[in-house]
């Protein structure tokens, strides 16, 4: 999905993956959606099993680019009319030259008055550059293929870009085909795995892509199975990026400098795999990441605030204190089952360094009915995050919730 303003009206464009269609909704003042248009896949256009859309604004019109997937690979352009209707302009079928088979990521750069669109081909294992003209027509500029040495484009996935100083960069992540077990889904099965990395390409004034640098995954980074790259902040000298990973179940923060060199800053092991669910937001002067998961049982959206790492926690451990107040009608048998499931967390979640629990024994009468208390110890915030979203913990929470009148949680840092 992509939302944009077209001549004063806000629209939401939806690629209907299983409907082989693009739907257009007008966004009303109260946030309600009103469907205004729908276009279905045909022999001439390539929106079958479509999942990726990109709005391109030109001087006198705006256009919607759509990428096809799996059975209908290709790239299509539609003019967006003021009333939200889409008029077909041009479609280009995928071939052995361009990389439009499985477009999952697209990005637009404007350089010296010219507009360029960049696409990643998940099945093609490469990226392509296209010049977009004022009338919505487009032509292929150049294409970069994967290799088995210094390029990392097998399963090209998220595509984004930044301008730093006078330099234009395109950043491409990938979820390597080795991570896909679904039989018959990967079209080119003779791939070679030589690691995971985020690739940086430089764009010249003609819109041509040139391999520039890579940040390869190692024991100090979390880059396996990249599914989302969000630009957190940009100035003339550097950009901060957040890389969401499905297979490492993490968010890796990176810095891209003006010379186009990508370096790791820090990572957070979220405890859940990130698929499309990652979005950066700036609210006032603060930066946030909102994350979701592909796991059906997760059913949560998590917000993270970005800030400088607190050096005061170095050499300390993190205590996580949880206290239960059970309902008066909760049977002791059910309470014992909940306590046993939480006590068992230490056996199921290696991130827990220590776990202890006990019954309230205070003589002050100030416990307010909180009679069961657990204290968990973690080496760092990453370990806590793994625990919070671990499947075993979520199951224990679900078992406890119907019996609880209240729950109290507090965390603090202390010397080991």
């Amino acid at each position: 999905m992509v939302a944009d303003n077209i001549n004063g009206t806000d629209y939401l464009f939806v690629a209907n993956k299983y409907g082989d269609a693009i739907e257009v909704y007008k966004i009303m003042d109260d946030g309600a959606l009103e469907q205004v248009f729908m276009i279905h896949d045909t022999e001439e256009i390539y929106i079958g099993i479509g999942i990726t859309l990109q709005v391109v604004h030109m001087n006198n019109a705006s256009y919607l680019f759509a990428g096809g997937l799996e059975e209908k690979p290709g790239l299509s352009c539609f003019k967006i009319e003021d009333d939200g209707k889409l008029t077909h302009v041009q479609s280009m079928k995928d071939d052995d030259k361009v990389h439009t088979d499985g477009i999952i990521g697209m990005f637009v750069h404007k350089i010296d008055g010219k507009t360029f669109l960049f696409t990643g081909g998940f099945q093609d294992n490469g990226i392509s550059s296209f010049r977009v003209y004022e009338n919505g027509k487009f032509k292929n500029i150049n294409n970069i293929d994967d290799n088995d040495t210094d390029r990392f484009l097998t399963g090209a996935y998220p595509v984004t870009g930044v301008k730093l100083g006078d330099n234009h960069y395109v950043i491409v992540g990938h979820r390597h085909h080795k991570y896909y077990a679904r039989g018959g889904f990967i079209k080119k099965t003779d791939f070679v795995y030589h690691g995971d990395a985020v690739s940086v390409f430089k764009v010249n004034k003609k819109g041509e892509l040139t391999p520039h640098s890579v940040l390869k995954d190692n024991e100090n980074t979390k880059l396996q199975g990249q599914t989302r790259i969000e630009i957190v902040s940009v100035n003339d000298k550097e950009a901060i990026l957040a890389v969401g990973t499905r297979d490492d179940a993490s968010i890796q923060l990176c810095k891209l400098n003006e010379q186009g060199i990508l370096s790791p800053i820090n990572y957070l092991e979220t405890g859940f795999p990130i698929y499309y669910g990652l979005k950066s937001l700036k609210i006032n002067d603060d930066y946030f990441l909102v994350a979701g998961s592909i796991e059906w049982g997760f059913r949560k959206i998590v917000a993270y605030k970005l800030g400088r790492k607190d050096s005061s926690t170095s050499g300390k451990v993190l205590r996580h204190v949880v206290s239960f107040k059970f309902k008066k009608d909760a049977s002791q048998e059910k309470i014992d089952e909940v306590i046993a499931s939480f006590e068992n967390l230490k056996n199921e979640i290696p991130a827990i360094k220590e776990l202890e629990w006990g019954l309230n024994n205070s003589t002050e009468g100030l416990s307010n009915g909180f009679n069961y208390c657990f204290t968990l110890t973690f080496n760092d915030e990453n370990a806590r995050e793994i625990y919070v979203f671990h499947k075993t913990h979520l199951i224990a929470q679900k078992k406890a919730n119907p019996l609880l009148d209240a729950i109290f949680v507090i965390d603090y840092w202390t010397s080991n």
Side-chain angles (χ1 to χ4, degrees):
M1 295 188 289
V2 60
D4 215 315
N5 185 278
I6 308 299
N7 284 342
T9 302
D10 292 321
Y11 291 105
L12 176 68
F13 305 94
V14 180
N16 192 321
K17 180 177 181 181
Y18 294 108
D20 293 338
I22 297 175
E23 301 172 69
V24 183
Y25 295 87
K26 182 179 179 181
I27 305 175
M28 313 300 287
D29 290 340
D30 62 356
L33 299 176
E34 176 187 324
Q35 188 184 63
V36 296
F37 188 72
M38 180 187 295
I39 183 170
H40 289 275
D41 186 46
T42 68
E43 291 294 329
E44 290 76 30
I45 59 179
Y46 302 98
I47 59 174
I49 318 183
I51 60 173
T52 305
L53 302 173
Q54 177 72 50
V55 175
V56 177
H57 295 286
M58 304 300 287
N59 291 328
N60 300 313
S62 295
Y63 299 92
L64 183 70
F65 281 80
L69 184 68
E70 297 177 16
E71 287 87 359
K72 286 296 297 288
L75 181 64
S76 295
C77 175
F78 305 87
K79 183 181 178 183
I80 307 172
E81 308 293 347
D82 289 350
D83 59 2
K85 293 182 180 179
L86 301 177
T87 302
H88 181 237
V89 176
Q90 179 187 349
S91 289
M92 181 181 293
K93 185 178 181 180
D94 182 69
D95 57 28
D96 292 337
K97 178 184 176 184
V98 299
H99 300 307
T100 55
D101 188 348
I103 297 176
I104 298 177
M106 286 192 276
F107 185 77
V108 176
H109 266 310
K110 291 183 180 289
I111 305 174
D112 290 347
K114 299 177 181 178
T115 301
F116 301 99
L117 175 72
F118 307 93
T119 65
F122 172 82
Q123 296 282 8
D124 279 338
N125 305 326
I127 56 171
S128 291
S129 171
F130 298 88
R131 169 82 187 273
V132 181
Y133 295 94
E134 185 62 41
N135 61 2
K137 296 285 186 177
F138 59 95
K139 74 171 184 178
N140 181 229
I141 301 299
N142 81 319
N143 309 280
I144 304 294
D145 301 309
D146 188 38
N147 61 23
D148 57 8
T149 55
D150 59 351
R151 296 182 193 169
F152 298 85
L153 294 172
T154 301
Y157 216 103
V159 178
T160 188
V162 294
K163 178 186 177 184
L164 297 176
D166 294 327
N167 300 315
H168 294 79
Y169 298 107
V170 170
I171 303 103
V172 182
H174 72 128
R175 185 166 190 248
H176 199 282
H177 290 170
K178 69 163 285 191
Y179 297 119
Y180 288 82
R182 192 150 49 114
F185 177 65
I186 301 301
K187 296 179 180 179
K188 300 177 181 179
T189 57
D190 58 343
F191 55 81
V192 175
Y193 178 70
H194 60 102
D196 292 81
V198 178
S199 301
V200 179
F201 299 86
K202 195 171 184 179
V203 186
N204 65 18
K205 293 183 179 181
K206 296 180 180 180
E208 296 170 332
L209 290 158
T210 302
H212 188 72
S213 68
V214 296
L215 173 62
K216 190 170 182 179
D217 188 44
N218 57 35
E219 65 275 7
N220 299 314
T221 58
K222 295 290 181 179
L223 294 174
Q224 292 191 25
Q226 307 140 42
T227 55
R228 191 79 183 181
I229 300 179
E230 284 287 301
I231 305 298
V232 177
S233 64
V234 182
N235 58 40
D236 286 339
K237 299 296 182 182
E238 66 178 31
I240 304 299
L241 288 68
V243 183
T245 57
R246 181 171 178 177
D247 298 274
D248 263 342
S250 299
I251 299 173
Q252 173 75 56
L253 290 179
C254 303
K255 178 176 70 175
L256 182 71
N257 65 18
E258 190 176 359
Q259 291 71 43
I261 305 302
L262 197 61
S263 58
I265 300 174
N266 193 13
Y267 65 79
L268 173 68
E269 294 181 271
T270 60
F272 56 88
I274 293 173
Y275 200 36
Y276 293 113
L278 186 66
K279 179 67 177 178
S280 65
L281 297 171
K282 183 181 180 183
I283 302 175
N284 298 323
D285 293 327
D286 295 319
Y287 295 94
F288 298 88
L289 289 170
V290 180
S293 179
I294 190 173
E295 288 187 347
W296 292 109
F298 187 65
R299 298 181 180 178
K300 292 178 185 291
I301 295 177
V302 187
Y304 301 98
K305 184 177 180 180
L306 278 68
R308 294 187 180 277
K309 192 172 183 179
D310 187 358
S311 60
S312 66
T313 62
S314 179
K316 295 184 178 182
V317 293
L318 184 60
R319 306 276 195 225
H320 176 76
V321 180
V322 183
S323 189
F324 294 136
K325 180 180 180 180
F326 286 98
K327 294 177 180 178
K328 292 182 179 180
D329 60 353
S331 69
Q332 190 61 47
E333 180 182 1
K334 292 294 185 181
I335 291 175
D336 289 343
E337 289 179 4
V338 170
I339 298 303
S341 65
F342 273 83
E343 186 178 19
N344 186 53
L345 294 178
K346 64 184 178 184
N347 301 319
E348 300 292 333
I349 308 176
I352 299 174
K353 183 178 181 181
E354 296 175 7
L355 182 151
E356 64 180 23
W357 74 276
L359 283 167
N360 175 44
N361 192 32
S362 174
T363 59
E364 297 179 89
L366 299 176
S367 63
N368 293 320
F370 288 89
N371 289 327
Y372 293 83
C373 185
F374 284 78
T375 301
L376 293 79
T377 301
F378 302 100
N379 284 326
D380 52 34
E381 291 170 310
N382 280 336
R384 178 180 59 183
E385 206 72 8
I386 293 172
Y387 150 79
V388 168
F389 299 111
H390 195 281
K391 183 178 180 179
T392 306
H393 178 226
L394 296 177
I395 292 173
Q397 276 186 322
K398 188 175 181 180
K399 184 182 293 186
N401 287 339
L403 305 178
L404 293 177
D405 188 42
I407 185 170
F408 176 81
V409 179
I410 189 170
D411 294 14
Y412 63 93
W413 292 94
T414 186
S415 299
N416 193 355

